[in-house]
């Protein structure tokens, strides 16, 4: 057993030795083979390199440090030539970098180690990164590089590392800011410096520094400068200091920057340049209201500004300054079609249905009637109502409801709210049928009920919801009906109605012609519908209620009737800045400006104007308000501006002087001419001149003191009156004649009574001259007296300005036959016995013309002739007396001297003229 184990160990040892010997033989064979191949020089493999390299190069160096390092391997190694790397070739990359800028060299041919470097220094600021490809090639099969092989192309990315070669530079050499005093700010101004280096390390500004000592300011790393204590403009108005900057490489700025901070006095946000009192001279056209006004926001950033300018003119006439003529005259001036019927005329014997209505004073001289729905109602006569029948008509009126709330009280039953306040209610006959309409107000709603035929058709209700009927202001309503079309104009603006055809169980009106204002007519009794206590006890005011049958009024006429002659306006819309909006309401009493830029807004506010086109504007005060609303990015801290209040004063206009002339104080004509069919014109050569007298500055013309200038202007008169003085005209003996057709053609109205003749209507001076020149005075046969006096006066603006009073004395010249008529002689004796009674009349008579031989002067002339004759007799008697005395003296010439010296008073006679007083 021992022998067997020994035998096995020897066998294993011999086997190992055999294996070792085989391995050695194999290795020797391989070595011999490789030596044989080397000696033969065969190049079978391509060199090998990495596919991508990342490189870094400094701006001040040209060696590129690659990762991984550049090594080229060849499987033919260690063959001479074939296993060695002879070089690298650089190719251009996608960015244009390549052989022109970089090269690669071999450091060790056997190991394939290489080096990439730039041909010239690189600039990071010009180009931070470069990309190109590189390729390795071996030495081939001999010294001449035969059969040389190349590797694949590898991409090389080279990043140029920055060197801190530049210093910071400030964007501005000088920084300026203005701040109000007394506050601490988070930032007053921000300075900024830049660095031209390309890397974040050296191009960033790490910190700033204030190099001026002892200034109340500090600066942070971002360049924000703020104050460390409240600034005082009185102590130091301007602060000037210097700052510098450092980049993260600790390079200081090339040049320091100067900072100038101006301290402003305390800033109060609001409007600056507001003038509380503004004066307007009539005739100035348009004037700017706020020429020096601008908004100060104290550096607060706002993104929307809205300003509302309100001119309060509600106390001037009916809401504003309009033509100071009657409603009828304004209709003529606006070109309205004639034929309107005045439903609320001035009370007179012919128009007595308005006599019981209370009237209120009006600044524009128009009649304003008040209605309460219970006792103040106007029932228009049937004769007038029949003139406005038909389904085509235009109803116009001025209306203002009471000052208190028009809403019903809370304790009023809801069922009673169906009652309405009637303005006008009309039932008229059209051929064989009756039509009916009623205009009423309920709360803030205006409604029109219309029945084309009260016996058959159902009513149609036109409804408008309007704030204007319940705001306690004057408004002009114009309702044009061309059934089934209805158009409503409120203050010249069109409003479309809502139609309601199903009106429930509404009883048909009674087919009886009636027209009532302030109530409605039903069952032949007046139904007052606005007598609810506590709700409608306020007065409703109406004025200028007219109806014109036929075609409706054009829109231009309606606008003219309402047009305000004064209001707010904007100067030049073409200069309005971008983003600005302007809105003006129809009455031009409210103007709204809206914008987002303060500078543009200030320019726009300065162009808000007031205009008044009336030559004789109504003087007085117009309150003015300016309300401003600002919207900021931070709504919590947004500015709130108080409302500004002021007033516009319209000064007293230069009063026009209406001068009547061309008519002598006396007019003498034979009585026969006055008794003729045409009578005698009273004012054949009348001249009417209207001029303005105003003060002028004569000092500027080198004159001392002041003077008055008078300018003749073209005016429109609205009334003239001829009135007999003393007794009224006796219709049986005398009358004033006027061409009624000519008046009608010119649209003038006339009131002809025994006390006066009044011609009214707005017309030119030339028209009134022609009309007044045509007025004639006629007497009945045998009615001529010795004199009659008349007075003429004219006016404009509803009697606001009046002319001088022209008095004319008419003398009737009698013939010789009539002079010695007993009645005339008696009259002459009476005048002789009582001269003081006719002293004024005698002095005013006009002698007849010389060529009128058949005419003898009146009583005054007879008395003069008698006096002259009596004087001639006295003279003759005196002559005879003197002659007799002379003869007597010659007879006594021979007497003594003493006798000749005595005065003979025996013939002295004193004669008293009985005509002297």
């Amino acid at each position: 057993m021992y022998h067997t184990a020994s035998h096995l160990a020897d066998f294993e040892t011999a086997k190992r030795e055999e294996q070792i010997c085989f391995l050695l033989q194999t290795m020797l064979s391989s070595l011999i083979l490789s030596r044989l191949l080397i000696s033969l020089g065969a190049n079978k493999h391509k060199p090998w390199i990495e596919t991508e390299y990342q490189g870094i190069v400094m701006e001040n160096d040209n060696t590129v440090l690659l990762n991984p390092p550049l090594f080229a391997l060849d499987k033919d190694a260690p063959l001479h030539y074939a296993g060695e790397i002879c070089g690298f070739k650089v190719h251009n990359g996608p960015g244009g970098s390549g052989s022109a800028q970089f090269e690669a060299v071999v450091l060790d041919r056997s190991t394939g180690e290489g080096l990439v470097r730039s041909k010239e220094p690189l600039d990071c600021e010009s180009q931070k990164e470069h990309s190109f490809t590189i390729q390795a090639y071996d030495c081939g099969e001999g010294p001449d590089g035969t059969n040389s092989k190349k590797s694949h192309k590898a991409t090389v990315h080279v990043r140029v590392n920055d060197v801190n070669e530049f210093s910071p530079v400030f964007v501005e050499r000088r920084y300026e800011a203005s701040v109000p005093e007394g506050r601490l700010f988070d930032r007053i101004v921000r300075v900024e410096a830049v660095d031209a280096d390309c890397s974040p390390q050296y191009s960033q500004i790490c910190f700033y520094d204030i190099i001026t000592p002892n200034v109340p300011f500090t600066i942070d790393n971002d360049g924000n400068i703020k104050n460390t204590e409240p600034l005082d403009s009185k102590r130091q108005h301007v602060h000037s200091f210097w700052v510098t900057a450092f980049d993260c490489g600790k390079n200081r700025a090339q040049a320091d920057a100067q900072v100038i901070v101006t301290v402003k006095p305390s800033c109060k946000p609001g409007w600056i340049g507001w003038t509380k009192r503004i004066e307007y001279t009539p005739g100035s056209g348009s004037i700017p209201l706020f020429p020096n006004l601008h908004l100060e926001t104290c550096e607060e950033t706002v993104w929307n500004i809205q300003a509302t300018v309100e001119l309060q003119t509600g106390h001037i006439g009916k809401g504003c300054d309009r033509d100071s003529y009657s409603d009828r005259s304004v209709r003529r001036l606006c070109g309205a079609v004639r034929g309107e019927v005045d439903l609320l005329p001035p009370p007179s014997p012919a128009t007595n249905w308005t006599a019981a209505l209370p009237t209120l004073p009006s600044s524009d001289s128009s009649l304003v009637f008040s209605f309460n729905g219970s006792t103040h109602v106007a029932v228009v006569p049937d004769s007038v109502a029949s003139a406005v029948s038909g389904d085509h008509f235009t109803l116009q009126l001025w209306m203002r409801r009471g000052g208190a709330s028009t809403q019903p009280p809370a304790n009023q039953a809801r069922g009673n709210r169906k009652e309405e306040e009637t303005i006008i209610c009309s039932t008229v006959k059209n051929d064989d049928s009756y039509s009916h309409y009623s205009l009423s107000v309920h709360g803030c709603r205006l409604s029109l009920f219309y029945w084309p035929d009260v016996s058959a058709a159902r009513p149609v209700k036109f409804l408008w919801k309007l704030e204007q009927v319940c705001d306690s202001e004057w408004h002009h309503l114009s309702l044009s009906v061309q059934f089934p079309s209805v158009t409503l104009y409120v203050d010249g603006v069109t409003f479309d109605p809502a139609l309601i055809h199903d009106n429930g169980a509404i009883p048909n009106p009674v087919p009886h012609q009636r027209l009532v204002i302030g109530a409605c007519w039903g069952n032949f009794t007046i139904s007052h519908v606005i007598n609810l206590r506590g709700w409608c006890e306020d007065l409703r005011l109406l004025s200028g209620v007219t109806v014109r049958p036929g075609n409706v009024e054009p829109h231009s006429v309606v606008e003219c009737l309402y047009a305000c002659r004064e209001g707010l306006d904007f100067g030049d819309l073409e200069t309005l800045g971008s983003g600005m909006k302007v809105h003006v309401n129809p009455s031009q009493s409210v103007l709204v400006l809206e914008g987002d830029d303060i500078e543009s807004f200030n320019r726009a506010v300065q162009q808000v104007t007031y205009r008044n086109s009336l030559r004789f504007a109504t003087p007085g005060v117009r309150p003015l308000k300016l309300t401003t609303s600002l919207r900021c990015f931070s709504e919590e801290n947004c500015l709130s501006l108080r409302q500004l209040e002021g007033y516009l004063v319209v000064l007293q206009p230069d009063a026009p002087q209406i001068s009547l002339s061309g008519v002598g104080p006396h007019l003498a004509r034979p009585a026969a001419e006055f008794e003729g069919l045409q009578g005698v014109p009273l004012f054949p050569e009348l001249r009417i001149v209207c001029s303005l007298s105003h003060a002028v500055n004569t000092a500027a013309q080198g004159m001392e003191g002041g003077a008055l200038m008078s300018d003749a202007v073209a005016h429109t008169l609205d009334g003239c009156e001829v009135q007999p003085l003393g007794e009224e005209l006796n219709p049986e003996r005398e009358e004033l004649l006027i061409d009624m057709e000519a008046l009608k053609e010119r649209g003038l109205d006339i009131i002809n009574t025994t006390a006066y003749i009044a011609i009214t209507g707005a017309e030119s001076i030339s028209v009134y001259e022609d009309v007044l020149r045509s007025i004639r005075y006629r007497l009945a046969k045998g009615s001529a007296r010795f004199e009659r006096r008349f007075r003429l006066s004219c006016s404009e603006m509803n009697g606001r300005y009046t002319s001088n009073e022209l008095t004319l004395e008419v003398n009737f010249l009698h013939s010789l036959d009539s002079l010695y008529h007993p009645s005339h002689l008696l009259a002459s004796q009476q005048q002789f016995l009582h001269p003081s009674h006719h002293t004024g009349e005698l002095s005013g008579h006009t002698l007849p013309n010389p060529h009128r031989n058949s005419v003898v002067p009146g009583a005054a002339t007879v008395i003069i002739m008698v006096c002259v004759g009596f004087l001639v007799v006295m003279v003759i008697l005196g002559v005879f007396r003197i002659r007799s005395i002379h003869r007597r003296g010659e007879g006594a010439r021979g007497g003594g001297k003493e006798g000749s010296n005595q005065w003979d008073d025996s013939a002295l006679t004193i004669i008293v003229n009985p005509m002297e007083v």
Side-chain angles (χ1 to χ4, degrees):
M1 185 172 177
Y2 177 79
H3 177 75
T4 302
S6 174
H7 181 72
L8 288 173
D10 292 341
F11 177 77
E12 289 178 358
T13 302
K15 188 176 181 178
R16 286 194 195 97
E17 290 177 355
E18 183 179 358
Q19 290 176 352
I20 293 171
C21 184
F22 177 76
L23 288 174
L24 291 174
Q25 289 179 357
T26 302
M27 292 175 62
L28 181 60
S29 299
S30 299
L31 181 60
I32 294 172
L33 182 60
S34 63
R35 288 294 181 180
L36 181 61
L37 290 174
I38 291 173
S39 63
L40 293 175
N43 190 5
K44 295 183 178 181
H45 300 91
K46 295 180 180 180
W48 178 89
I49 57 176
E50 298 286 345
T51 58
E52 187 176 15
Y53 295 89
Q54 301 293 334
I56 298 175
V57 62
M58 303 298 293
E59 279 187 316
N60 56 359
D61 193 6
N62 61 351
T63 300
V64 179
L65 302 179
L66 295 179
N67 183 25
L70 181 58
F71 282 95
L73 302 179
D74 197 321
K75 291 183 178 181
D76 292 331
L79 291 179
H80 189 54
Y81 298 113
E84 296 177 348
I85 302 301
C86 278
F88 296 93
K89 187 173 183 180
V90 177
H91 301 277
N92 291 335
S97 302
S99 60
Q101 294 175 295
F102 296 91
E103 62 179 359
V105 297
V106 178
L107 300 180
D108 188 347
R109 297 176 59 175
S110 61
T111 60
E113 181 182 2
L115 175 66
V116 177
R117 61 191 178 190
S118 61
K119 296 181 180 180
E120 56 186 17
L122 300 178
D123 187 5
C124 175
E125 289 72 32
S126 300
Q127 187 172 353
K128 293 182 179 180
E129 294 183 352
H130 300 268
S131 296
F132 54 89
T133 59
I134 190 172
Q135 191 176 31
Y137 59 91
D138 58 20
C139 297
E141 297 178 352
D144 55 356
T146 303
N147 197 18
S148 174
K149 294 186 179 296
K150 299 179 180 179
S151 67
H152 61 271
K153 293 182 180 180
T155 302
V156 179
H157 300 284
V158 177
R159 185 179 72 249
V160 181
N161 276 2
D162 188 24
V163 176
N164 193 9
E165 57 185 322
F166 295 101
S167 297
V169 176
F170 281 97
V171 176
E172 302 287 343
R173 295 297 304 275
R174 180 172 177 171
Y175 294 86
E176 296 184 9
S178 298
V179 294
E181 64 179 357
R183 293 174 54 187
L184 291 175
F185 297 91
D186 294 334
R187 185 178 74 176
I188 295 177
V189 66
R190 181 177 182 270
V191 299
E192 183 182 4
V194 295
D195 195 308
D197 289 315
C198 66
S199 64
Q201 178 182 3
Y202 300 127
S203 63
Q204 290 184 355
I205 307 300
C206 276
F207 63 95
Y208 295 86
D209 190 19
I210 298 177
I211 59 177
T212 302
N214 302 324
V215 292
F217 299 94
T218 183
I219 188 170
D220 60 16
N221 293 339
D222 294 327
N224 296 314
I225 298 177
K226 63 180 181 179
N227 55 327
T228 58
E229 62 183 40
L231 304 178
D232 189 351
S233 63
K234 296 180 181 178
R235 185 173 62 183
Q236 187 171 352
H237 181 61
V238 177
H239 294 266
S240 177
F241 53 92
W242 295 84
V243 297
T244 190
F246 294 87
D247 62 18
C248 295
K250 296 185 179 181
N251 274 2
R252 181 174 171 174
Q254 291 181 355
D256 301 326
Q258 185 183 18
V259 179
I260 298 177
V261 177
T262 302
V263 183
K264 298 186 298 183
S266 298
C267 177
K268 294 181 180 180
W271 290 103
I272 299 176
W274 171 262
T275 302
K276 189 173 183 179
R277 175 188 172 95
I278 304 171
E279 292 186 354
Y280 178 81
T281 302
S284 301
S286 296
I287 63 168
L289 292 177
F290 321 113
N292 302 315
L293 191 65
H294 67 277
L295 180 63
E296 176 61 59
T297 60
C298 297
E299 306 297 333
E300 183 69 30
T301 304
V302 297
W303 64 272
N304 182 266
I305 312 170
Q306 181 173 325
T308 302
V309 183
E310 182 180 359
L311 181 70
Q312 298 180 8
T313 58
H315 61 291
I316 306 295
K318 297 186 183 73
C320 63
D321 210 357
R322 293 183 173 88
D323 285 316
S324 299
Y325 297 107
S326 64
D327 293 334
R328 189 179 186 91
S329 297
V330 172
R331 289 184 57 82
R332 291 191 61 256
L333 294 176
C334 290
V337 180
R338 299 178 183 177
E340 73 278 359
V341 178
D342 192 354
L343 300 184
L344 291 179
S348 67
T351 57
N352 58 359
W353 67 88
T354 60
L357 294 176
T359 59
L360 298 179
S362 173
S363 59
D364 61 355
S365 303
S366 61
L367 279 177
V368 176
F369 299 93
S370 64
F371 295 83
N372 61 3
S374 56
T375 58
H376 304 156
V377 176
V379 180
V380 181
D382 294 346
S383 58
V384 178
S386 60
V388 292
S389 61
D391 57 359
H392 286 56
F393 61 89
T394 299
L395 171 66
Q396 295 189 0
L397 56 95
W398 286 94
M399 183 182 74
R400 191 188 78 179
R401 297 174 75 192
S405 173
T406 58
Q407 297 299 326
N411 57 358
Q412 181 174 325
R414 182 174 295 272
N416 293 336
R417 294 185 61 179
K418 65 181 180 180
E419 303 292 351
E420 296 179 342
E421 306 174 35
T422 302
I423 299 175
I424 184 171
C425 184
S426 173
T427 302
V428 295
K429 185 176 182 181
N430 301 317
D431 298 331
D432 297 332
S433 63
Y434 288 87
S435 63
H436 176 88
Y437 71 87
S438 64
L439 184 67
S440 57
V441 178
H442 184 196
C444 292
R445 289 176 171 84
L446 182 73
S447 61
L448 172 70
F449 273 96
Y450 189 82
W451 274 267
D453 187 351
V454 298
S455 61
R458 297 295 299 163
V460 178
K461 184 176 183 180
F462 301 87
L463 187 64
W464 296 269
K465 185 175 181 181
L466 303 169
E467 296 181 358
Q468 289 87 339
V469 298
C470 58
D471 62 357
S472 303
E473 300 290 343
W474 278 107
H475 294 284
H476 182 265
L477 278 66
S478 177
L479 191 68
S480 298
V481 178
Q482 276 184 310
F483 191 78
S485 174
V486 176
T487 304
L488 174 67
Y489 299 96
V490 179
D491 298 339
V493 180
T494 309
F495 290 88
D496 296 326
L499 297 181
I500 301 176
H501 294 276
D502 185 9
N503 297 287
I506 299 179
N508 288 17
V510 176
H512 188 84
Q513 183 163 287
R514 281 291 184 271
L515 197 160
V516 183
I517 299 176
C520 203
W521 189 272
N523 298 325
F524 300 99
T525 61
I526 294 180
S527 174
H528 309 299
V529 298
I530 61 171
N531 56 359
L532 303 177
R533 301 298 296 172
W535 176 16
C536 301
E537 59 187 8
D538 299 326
L539 296 179
R540 182 172 68 252
L541 306 180
L542 297 178
S543 177
V545 181
T546 62
V547 176
R548 187 184 62 80
N551 295 331
V552 299
E553 297 282 12
H555 189 195
S556 58
V557 173
V558 177
E559 286 182 338
C560 177
L561 293 174
Y562 170 71
C564 288
R565 304 305 181 191
E566 69 171 341
L568 300 173
D569 203 351
F570 191 81
D572 187 3
L573 291 175
E574 295 183 357
T575 62
L576 194 64
S578 61
M580 291 295 303
K581 299 178 182 178
V582 180
H583 173 73
V584 184
N585 68 335
S587 62
Q588 294 187 309
S589 61
V590 178
L591 184 145
V592 180
L593 285 174
E594 186 175 358
D596 52 12
D597 180 68
I598 294 180
E599 295 300 327
S600 299
F601 199 88
N602 287 335
R603 288 193 298 268
V605 167
Q606 294 173 3
Q607 294 200 45
V608 176
T609 61
Y610 168 80
R611 57 138 190 95
N612 195 320
S613 59
L614 290 179
R615 185 190 300 271
F616 307 109
T618 303
V621 175
R622 278 82 163 159
L624 194 64
K625 294 182 180 180
L626 175 60
T627 306
T628 310
S629 174
L630 302 179
R631 302 185 67 180
C632 309
F633 292 100
S634 176
E635 295 295 339
E636 298 179 356
N637 301 324
C638 196
L639 300 175
S640 178
L641 303 182
R642 65 180 181 89
Q643 185 184 67
L644 297 180
E645 296 184 358
Y647 54 93
L648 174 74
V649 180
V650 177
L651 302 178
Q652 186 75 29
D654 295 329
Q657 297 179 355
I658 307 173
S659 175
L660 307 181
S661 61
V663 177
H666 305 281
L667 175 65
R669 291 290 186 275
E673 293 187 15
F674 289 96
E675 296 173 353
L677 183 62
Q678 299 296 328
V680 175
L682 292 180
F683 316 106
E685 298 180 358
L686 176 66
R687 292 194 304 273
I688 304 176
V689 177
C690 189
S691 60
L692 287 177
S693 295
H694 55 89
V696 296
N697 184 12
T698 56
Q701 305 174 4
M703 301 170 59
E704 296 182 358
L708 287 178
M709 291 287 292
S710 180
D711 300 329
V713 292
H715 277 256
T716 299
L717 300 180
D718 59 8
C720 287
E721 182 178 288
V722 180
Q723 179 182 4
L725 299 180
E727 298 179 355
E728 295 184 4
L729 295 176
N730 186 347
E732 297 179 357
R733 298 172 50 190
E734 56 187 342
E735 63 178 339
L736 291 175
L737 305 177
I738 191 169
D739 190 352
M740 301 300 295
E741 291 297 328
L743 288 179
K744 186 176 181 180
E745 290 179 1
R746 291 179 167 92
L748 298 177
D749 299 325
I750 183 172
I751 300 176
N752 193 351
T753 66
T754 59
Y756 64 91
I757 287 182
I759 304 170
T760 59
E763 258 301 347
S764 64
I765 289 179
S766 60
V767 171
Y768 269 94
E769 285 180 338
D770 293 341
V771 171
L772 294 175
R773 289 169 183 171
S774 66
I775 295 179
R776 295 172 175 269
Y777 179 57
R778 186 175 66 180
L779 294 173
K781 293 290 185 179
S783 301
R785 297 185 297 178
F786 290 105
E787 58 88 22
R788 183 57 140 154
R789 301 175 68 193
F790 295 93
R791 182 171 60 199
L792 172 65
S793 63
C794 295
S795 65
E796 66 173 322
M797 300 290 181
N798 260 1
R800 180 175 171 186
Y801 302 108
T802 58
S803 69
N804 61 309
E805 293 184 349
L806 189 65
T807 302
L808 176 65
E809 181 178 302
V810 179
N811 300 122
F812 310 104
L813 304 181
H814 300 272
S815 63
L816 289 174
D817 296 336
S818 62
L819 178 65
Y820 292 102
H821 192 274
S823 61
H824 291 83
L825 291 177
L826 179 61
S828 301
Q829 294 174 5
Q830 291 176 352
Q831 293 181 22
F832 179 80
L833 294 175
H834 305 282
S836 61
H837 180 70
H838 297 282
T839 302
E841 296 179 0
L842 294 176
S843 63
H845 277 277
T846 304
L847 293 177
N849 294 332
H851 64 277
R852 297 179 181 265
N853 297 326
S854 63
V855 178
V856 179
T861 306
V862 172
I863 294 174
I864 294 174
M865 294 176 64
V866 171
C867 294
V868 170
F870 186 79
L871 180 61
V872 169
V873 172
M874 292 293 100
V875 171
I876 294 174
L877 291 177
V879 170
F880 281 107
R881 173 68 66 177
I882 292 172
R883 293 183 64 183
S884 64
I885 293 173
H886 182 70
R887 291 173 182 174
R888 189 182 304 169
E890 290 179 353
R893 187 170 299 172
K897 182 177 182 180
E898 181 179 354
S900 62
N901 293 334
Q902 294 180 351
W903 176 260
D904 186 11
D905 57 355
S906 60
L908 180 63
T909 304
I910 298 176
I911 301 174
V912 179
N913 188 355
M915 297 303 299
E916 293 181 356
V917 179

